Amino acid sequence: MKRPDIWAVSLVAGLTVALLHPSPALAAEAVVLSKGHTDAVDVHYEGGALKLKVKDDTISPAVVRDPADVTFQVLPAAETLVPDLPSFAFLGTPGSKVWMLPQVQEQELLWPGWNTTTLKSGVFTGDKVQLSLVGVDGPGDVTLFDTNSLGTPSIKFRSNDGLPDKLDVPVHTHAHAGWVFSATGAYTLKFQADATLTDGTKLSTGPVDYRFVVGDLQPGGGDVELTVSGMPDGDQQPGTSVTLQAVQTPRGSLTKYQWFSRKPGEQDYTAIEGETGVSYTFTATRALNGAEYLVKLYDGSKVVATSAPSWLWVAFPDPGSSAAKTVTATINASDGALVISVDPENRAVTLPAAALNATGDRWESVGALKPVTVTDTRSAKPGWTASGQVADGFRTGDGKTFAGSYLGWTPSITTQGDQQGVVAGPVSAPYVSGQPHTGLGDNAALASAPNGKGLGTAQLDAELKLSVPTDTDAGTYTGTLTLTAI
């Protein structure tokens, strides 16, 4: 299995800013995780105790869950064949079927790993903890392994040659491996974390159950995957009717739902009053641009499944608008003019290919905005503000999109005249759910000159930062950053 190509972004101009990650909230509801990134074995040290949790990055913002509330699903698409290579003989007979969650991310599969990044240095002897697989109950064998740069496998945990298997993991580690199951069905994997404090105190979580289902989920027991269909691709025109549909897999007898929304700038999801059916219909408006929707399935008062969020993107009202906005002003020549310009050779900026960030929950890329020049010859010296916006977002040639708000910038002043007082604009961070007015999806200041301090020529620049969720489709995305000066 191959890791999907990571995309690069091209634009007319751009800038960057530091991303502010909120601490993952603690969630308490039963969920099935079947696609996206998760730190399945997430080690914490809290209140003098060592604990195992699950960091769920399949939603944004990420949440921390109790392993007892999580079912990890290895989808049927994970089926593969044991390669005919001696180094992989530990997986079984060449050509036999296995179900593998690979070491590198596949967008259509779950990508579980282990994580000690919350643990601080100097707390544990050797700055490490020991992770152990102490038991496996299921219809087949379970093996976790990784490979080096030459493709040589290294077994981390293996159930068919005796357990427990132990692995020393340094603090500040975020790692992934291939998870291989030899048969379909339900498994319980028992993981344990042990460590010794620097004062000699020994800590242990004891065995903690992790539930996996390989293949299709079976009816009953709350083993239901809930998804949302009907969210249109790309930007919608204001006034468009949108109908979302809750889809159970497998289809069961439960019919009690609740739809939730989270509008831009809101911290938490809010239940939509009266929307308790299998579908939800609403009208798209510009105020809903960037809103998130999810649905929960109930058995009585108990939540048995929660969908991943779906995002709504709504275009500006003018259906004839192009990717770049144009601002036209008439200036009396005798009074001078205010001009913002970019040299022709600097009009295209290509960011480096995006890479997974340290916490494993975002694809990120950092680059530089090429010089932008603002010249003010107006004798009245009224001052000015230069700003930018990626109003129409980014898209690929085959129609995949994400919003311009996922691009942020940190402005800077390269040069300015001796009599000028040009000030760089504030940092505008890439959009993160719950943090309003971030990114370049809305107008953001690049620089400004106060009254009496703008006359002359200033050269502006900025650092760009792109940060998108890990479930963003692979591809090469292009967007237009429109720069204005007023």
Side-chain angles (χ1 to χ4, degrees):
M1 297 183 182
K2 293 184 177 179
R3 181 178 185 170
D5 294 334
I6 308 307
W7 24 255
V9 176
S10 301
L11 50 142
V12 170
L15 312 166
T16 190
V17 70
L19 177 64
L20 304 176
H21 285 292
S23 299
L26 181 63
E29 58 188 14
V31 296
V32 177
L33 304 183
S34 61
K35 293 182 182 181
H37 178 267
T38 177
D39 292 325
V41 185
D42 190 24
V43 187
H44 291 251
Y45 177 56
E46 300 172 350
L50 207 58
K51 299 179 181 180
L52 288 183
K53 300 182 180 181
V54 176
K55 184 184 177 189
D56 177 7
D57 289 307
T58 66
I59 60 175
S60 180
V63 295
V64 174
R65 302 186 185 276
D66 187 324
D69 295 329
V70 179
T71 296
F72 301 93
Q73 186 185 11
V74 184
L75 292 171
E79 180 182 315
T80 188
L81 302 179
V82 175
D84 190 6
L85 296 171
S87 58
F88 286 89
F90 64 90
L91 293 180
T93 305
S96 60
K97 291 182 180 181
V98 292
W99 287 259
M100 182 172 74
L101 300 176
Q103 180 179 349
V104 295
Q105 186 168 23
E106 295 270 356
Q107 294 292 340
E108 297 305 311
L109 296 175
L110 191 64
W111 192 32
W114 54 87
N115 182 42
T116 62
T117 59
T118 65
L119 304 182
K120 297 180 180 179
S121 301
V123 176
F124 305 104
T125 300
D127 276 337
K128 65 181 181 181
V129 298
Q130 185 179 78
L131 289 182
S132 302
L133 180 61
V134 299
V136 170
D137 181 15
D141 302 324
V142 180
T143 303
L144 276 70
F145 74 96
D146 62 13
T147 57
N148 61 20
S149 59
L150 299 177
T152 303
S154 173
I155 297 172
K156 303 303 179 184
F157 305 106
R158 185 182 180 190
S159 67
N160 66 358
D161 63 352
L163 293 174
D165 284 346
K166 301 177 180 181
L167 179 67
D168 285 338
V169 181
V171 300
H172 309 309
T173 294
H174 175 249
H176 287 269
W179 298 58
V180 181
F181 300 80
S182 67
T184 59
Y187 293 75
T188 299
L189 280 58
K190 295 182 180 291
F191 283 100
Q192 178 172 312
D194 297 274
T196 302
L197 297 177
T198 53
D199 65 4
T201 303
K202 295 185 180 298
L203 303 174
S204 179
T205 62
V208 178
D209 288 350
Y210 282 75
R211 187 168 188 270
F212 283 75
V213 174
V214 180
D216 290 321
L217 292 168
Q218 300 302 310
D223 295 335
V224 177
E225 180 184 10
L226 191 62
T227 58
V228 172
S229 67
M231 182 64 78
D233 293 330
D235 293 349
Q236 302 306 297
Q237 289 300 320
T240 301
S241 178
V242 177
T243 298
L244 304 180
Q245 188 86 10
V247 180
Q248 294 185 42
T249 306
R251 186 183 300 274
S253 59
L254 299 177
T255 59
K256 182 181 178 182
Y257 299 88
Q258 176 63 62
W259 290 88
F260 294 79
S261 68
R262 179 164 61 188
K263 297 180 177 64
E266 293 181 348
Q267 182 67 35
D268 300 312
Y269 286 95
T270 301
I272 303 172
E273 186 175 355
E275 296 298 338
T276 58
V278 69
S279 63
Y280 168 50
T281 300
F282 63 97
T283 300
T285 66
R286 272 297 297 171
L288 295 178
N289 183 49
E292 302 169 59
Y293 298 86
L294 60 78
V295 64
K296 297 183 180 182
L297 176 66
Y298 290 78
D299 184 357
S301 61
K302 178 183 178 182
V303 176
V304 297
T306 301
S307 74
S310 293
W311 296 70
L312 176 70
W313 302 112
V314 183
F316 285 91
D318 181 5
S321 63
S322 64
K325 308 294 183 182
T326 300
V327 177
T328 303
T330 301
I331 306 292
N332 187 323
S334 63
D335 292 334
L338 175 64
V339 178
I340 185 168
S341 62
V342 178
D343 289 340
E345 63 270 22
N346 291 331
R347 287 179 182 166
V349 176
T350 299
L351 296 180
L356 196 65
N357 67 3
T359 57
D361 62 351
R362 310 281 283 189
W363 292 114
E364 293 185 346
S365 179
V366 175
L369 176 67
K370 297 176 181 179
V372 175
T373 301
V374 176
T375 300
D376 187 3
T377 60
R378 297 171 297 176
S379 58
K381 301 180 183 180
W384 50 263
T385 297
S387 59
Q389 182 178 12
V390 187
D392 293 319
F394 295 86
R395 65 183 63 246
T396 64
D398 58 359
K400 292 177 285 192
T401 63
F402 62 79
S405 56
Y406 287 114
L407 180 71
W409 63 10
T410 301
S412 60
I413 309 300
T414 302
T415 61
Q416 61 176 303
D418 292 340
Q419 304 303 313
Q420 287 185 299
V422 181
V423 179
V427 166
S428 183
Y431 173 72
V432 175
S433 181
Q435 295 183 10
H437 310 302
T438 55
L440 302 184
D442 293 319
N443 209 43
L446 175 60
S448 61
N451 185 23
K453 295 291 185 177
L455 188 65
T457 297
Q459 192 172 79
L460 317 176
D461 209 336
E463 182 182 72
L464 297 167
K465 184 172 183 178
L466 180 76
S467 179
V468 298
T470 54
D471 60 359
T472 304
D473 290 330
T476 298
Y477 290 76
T478 300
T480 299
L481 171 63
T482 301
L483 297 166
T484 58
I486 57 175

